[in-house]
Amino acid sequence: MIMWALTGDISNDARNLITGTDYFNKELMLPYESQILWAVDQRGSYVRIRVTPDFRDGELVCRGILYESLDLMYEDSEATFCVYIRNIQKDPDVEINYIDGSTF
């Protein structure tokens, strides 16, 4: 779950992967990842990140993530946040079966 842009790690380690929708990744997570990248690249900050997937009752697909970030150098940083990001589709007519990953 730690963004590739920070680590450059392409090993796809199973401990760093979840299944997420395109909308979840590109629309919902990207603004927060951009804030972190800006703080690191432009301000030279050190940022701590913790991402906790929300799996329930043996489901194969997580419902969302708790995304926590702390800029260790600047108190006023936009890179400091704690948000829950739902793993959903943009189209309201498409629902995810979190048990097996199918859609309906």
Side-chain angles (χ1 to χ4, degrees), residues 43-61:
R43 289 181 109 174
S45 289
Y46 295 94
V47 179
R48 288 197 170 205
I49 302 166
R50 178 168 55 188
V51 181
T52 308
D54 178 13
F55 288 97
R56 300 180 189 175
D57 301 320
E59 294 174 334
L60 297 179
V61 177

Side-chain angles (χ1 to χ4, degrees), residues 39-84:
V40 170
D41 290 343
Q42 302 301 313
R43 289 181 109 174
S45 289
Y46 295 94
V47 179
R48 288 197 170 205
I49 302 166
R50 178 168 55 188
V51 181
T52 308
D54 178 13
F55 288 97
R56 300 180 189 175
D57 301 320
E59 294 174 334
L60 297 179
V61 177
C62 72
R63 299 276 179 146
I65 61 168
L66 180 63
Y67 200 172
E68 300 170 275
S69 177
L70 176 63
D71 187 324
L72 300 174
M73 297 180 71
Y74 297 94
E75 286 185 23
D76 66 340
S77 177
E78 290 183 1
T80 296
F81 55 81
C82 179
V83 295
Y84 185 85

Side-chain angles (χ1 to χ4, degrees), residues 19-31:
T19 299
T21 67
D22 191 56
Y23 180 67
F24 164 79
N25 193 35
K26 292 181 180 174
E27 300 285 331
L28 302 178
M29 283 183 59
L30 186 60

